[in-house]
Amino acid sequence: MKITTLKGMHDIKPPEIAVWHWVEKTIREVLEGAFFSELRTPVVEEEALFTRSIGNATEIVEKELYHFTDRKGRKLALRPEGTASIVRSFNEHFATAGGKTHRFYYLGPMFRYERPQQGRYRQFYQMGAEVFGSKDPRTDAELIFLAHEIFKRLKLTTTELQINSLGCKTCRPNFRETLSQFLSSRIQSLCADCQRRIQKNPLRALDCKIPTCIEATAGAPSSLDHLCSDCQTHFEGLQQRLTLLKVPYRIHARLVRGLDYYERTAFEFVNTQLGAQNAVAGGGRYDDLVHDLGGPSTPAVGFAIGMERLVSLVSGYYPVEERRKKIFFACLGSEAQTRMIPHMMELRNLGWATLMSYENESLKSMLRQADRLEVDYTVIVGEEEIRQGLAQVKEMKTTGGQSSVGLADLAGYFLRL
Ligand code: AMP
């Protein structure tokens, strides 16, 4: 029986992988240019890391966590997102190492047992950034600016930035209570999930996609009307700095994130071209999480980009110059093959991708293969060329024109192109 990929999981294959490399490289450049360093954490962690941070009453933990017990009976889970692991690692290695602020970025697969659909998978990649040690809303704004800059460099112009403030430990309980009361008064119109959320996690009801719930919560109280003065000042500071940095935004009072640890700033970049799963990136501030996970009280803010969604949006802009130029060596006979090996290796060392067929095929069959490999040039060498110290260089992408080039000058010929 043929074994295939699991539902909701997928292979990232050539030629699409080249777009991934370009997107990853662009994100690294933007983040490293702002003093972020990569931090790689394991895919498997203690389950408690996620239940305690993301929250027991969230969908991610309640319904979507891939969890299991290992051979020693330890309760483990595949990470559903990156922030919790980065915080765990920060507490283990950096929290007491001195330094005012710390900046990390990560890239890797995340796992959520969701109902798969376009743009929503069970294994998907996130690239994210986190800043530890700053409460200042200018830090939130600069982080948002970096995400905006990433999209700009990838020529993605159709994302809208939505921002909100979720309040803090001081003002959120009051908002939660007011919202619970509002939802209770409409309990009959809410779906079963939202009915349960009234007590456990009322904010999530604002994010329910079921039309009857959207209608029933249309006049719901807003967190923005319940902010304490510190949260109010913080939210205003964020907006002022975004304006200064020329990052357009829209205040979206119903924006709540699927993870419980956020407070104050919450934001999403949404894209109109993506259909139902339209969030390309999301993030926010989580000032209590480091402490909640056993570290010293340290404010923090971060975001994560959904890589599959981003790649699908920018693949049309993948620049031709990012592609490595390719040369195929079509050598007729073993003597020609042996003679051309040093030339092939030299060009490879000069940065070209080079390949030779050893299958002793006909020229026609080798040219067909070169076409399939989408090479830029084919170097054709037979007995006659060897005798004359020449190669025929065939241009494969546009004209199909052919030139005779002296073997001694072959590398020089390609360098001059
Ligand atoms: P979150 O960690 O839920 O804040 O998600 C951050 C970003 O990851 C979202 O904006 C999406 O772009 C992406 N994302 C989240 N869940 C999935 C999924 N199941 N499949 C693909 N992308 C996802």
Side-chain angles (χ1 to χ4, degrees):
M1 199 182 70
K2 195 159 131 193
I3 298 173
T4 56
T5 45
L6 298 171
K7 189 174 168 193
M9 308 212 172
H10 56 109
D11 300 318
I12 305 169
K13 314 179 288 295
E16 187 206 17
I17 192 79
V19 184
W20 281 75
H21 290 163
W22 167 60
V23 171
E24 288 165 13
K25 191 173 103 185
T26 306
I27 299 177
R28 276 179 208 280
E29 270 167 18
V30 171
L31 294 175
E32 287 177 7
F35 273 72
F36 285 76
S37 306
E38 184 174 0
L39 179 55
R40 292 191 195 181
T41 63
V43 165
V44 181
E45 299 266 9
E46 274 188 50
E47 184 182 358
L49 175 63
F50 305 115
T51 50
R52 274 169 56 191
S53 57
I54 300 165
N56 269 320
T58 58
E59 252 128 75
I60 296 179
V61 165
E62 212 173 26
K63 298 186 187 162
E64 298 170 0
L65 204 60
Y66 275 89
H67 56 99
F68 59 98
T69 42
D70 75 358
R71 288 167 195 273
K72 290 253 168 73
R74 286 175 287 234
K75 294 178 90 172
L76 307 178
L78 302 185
R79 63 178 178 199
E81 57 105 43
T83 302
S85 304
I86 298 288
V87 172
R88 197 254 323 121
S89 178
F90 173 77
N91 283 345
E92 251 180 275
H93 307 292
F94 300 95
T96 53
K100 190 87 183 126
T101 60
H102 296 263
R103 293 171 172 76
F104 303 105
Y105 74 88
Y106 60 86
L107 162 70
M110 308 296 161
F111 303 84
R112 296 184 195 173
Y113 196 81
E114 299 206 71
R115 200 144 38 85
Q117 53 174 275
Q118 181 70 24
R120 196 209 262 168
Y121 309 100
R122 289 183 174 168
Q123 175 173 338
F124 59 98
Y125 283 77
Q126 283 186 342
M127 199 151 181
E130 319 281 353
V131 182
F132 294 93
S134 170
K135 272 213 274 277
D136 198 302
R138 289 173 295 188
T139 303
D140 310 35
E142 186 177 339
L143 197 73
I144 293 174
F145 173 81
L146 292 172
H148 173 79
E149 176 67 20
I150 287 166
F151 298 143
K152 199 167 107 190
R153 289 206 196 173
L154 295 170
K155 306 213 170 17
L156 182 63
T157 52
T158 48
T159 50
E160 179 188 70
L161 167 64
Q162 303 178 343
I163 61 169
N164 193 18
S165 177
L166 301 171
C168 65
K169 273 208 293 242
T170 311
C171 53
R172 189 143 55 164
N174 181 20
F175 169 58
R176 231 182 110 113
E177 183 52 35
T178 313
L179 184 61
S180 289
Q181 281 171 15
F182 172 88
L183 295 171
S184 300
S185 71
R186 283 156 176 75
I187 191 161
Q188 303 304 341
S189 319
L190 300 176
C191 71
D193 277 342
C194 283
Q195 290 185 358
R196 277 191 305 119
R197 286 172 180 143
I198 292 178
Q199 295 311 323
K200 287 171 79 179
N201 198 353
L203 269 69
R204 293 294 304 152
L206 297 176
D207 195 36
C208 184
K209 302 286 185 288
I210 296 175
T212 44
C213 288
I214 295 176
E215 202 179 312
T217 59
S222 154
S223 58
L224 296 178
D225 295 328
H226 293 78
L227 298 181
C228 61
S229 66
D230 282 353
C231 286
Q232 186 71 42
T233 309
H234 194 275
F235 195 46
E236 280 161 14
L238 167 67
Q239 292 173 65
Q240 278 161 13
R241 188 42 69 122
L242 285 175
T243 306
L244 192 84
L245 293 170
K246 298 194 169 52
V247 180
Y249 63 88
R250 185 166 74 83
I251 295 175
H252 182 23
R254 289 175 70 103
L255 175 67
V256 290
R257 314 282 343 282
L259 308 97
D260 277 357
Y261 51 64
Y262 287 117
E263 43 185 87
R264 292 198 169 156
T265 310
F267 61 91
E268 257 176 18
F269 284 87
V270 298
N271 195 287
T272 43
Q273 295 173 353
L274 278 178
Q277 303 303 319
N278 64 356
V280 190
R285 181 161 274 287
Y286 51 94
D287 288 347
D288 291 320
L289 187 56
V290 175
H291 185 251
D292 289 349
L293 291 176
S297 190
T298 309
V301 56
F303 69 77
I305 297 173
M307 294 297 281
E308 280 78 2
R309 295 184 196 176
L310 181 57
V311 167
S312 76
L313 286 166
V314 302
S315 55
Y317 304 124
Y318 176 56
V320 178
E321 65 269 20
E322 286 289 326
R323 217 175 52 86
R324 198 182 273 266
K325 290 271 192 294
K326 299 177 190 166
I327 306 171
F328 188 80
F329 280 75
C331 301
L332 294 150
S334 60
E335 195 197 336
Q337 287 169 6
T338 308
R339 281 289 300 277
M340 291 311 289
I341 286 286
H343 295 284
M344 181 177 85
M345 298 309 184
E346 185 184 10
L347 282 163
R348 204 176 271 177
N349 287 338
L350 289 169
W352 296 69
T354 61
L355 188 70
M356 184 184 293
S357 165
Y358 301 130
E359 306 307 316
N360 294 323
E361 300 159 84
S362 68
L363 181 59
K364 200 166 147 203
S365 147
M366 284 194 280
L367 286 174
R368 247 201 322 267
Q369 195 184 338
D371 259 338
R372 243 195 330 269
L373 292 167
E374 298 186 343
V375 304
D376 299 277
Y377 297 91
T378 301
V379 174
I380 304 166
V381 182
E383 278 171 23
E384 185 56 25
E385 279 78 14
I386 291 296
R387 217 173 36 76
Q388 295 181 18
L390 287 175
Q392 304 297 329
V393 177
K394 188 171 167 59
E395 204 278 335
M396 305 288 287
K397 284 273 159 153
T398 48
T399 60
Q402 209 162 295
S403 326
S404 294
V405 181
L407 285 182
D409 188 40
L410 193 61
Y413 174 84
F414 281 109
L415 283 177
R416 286 193 297 276
L417 281 173

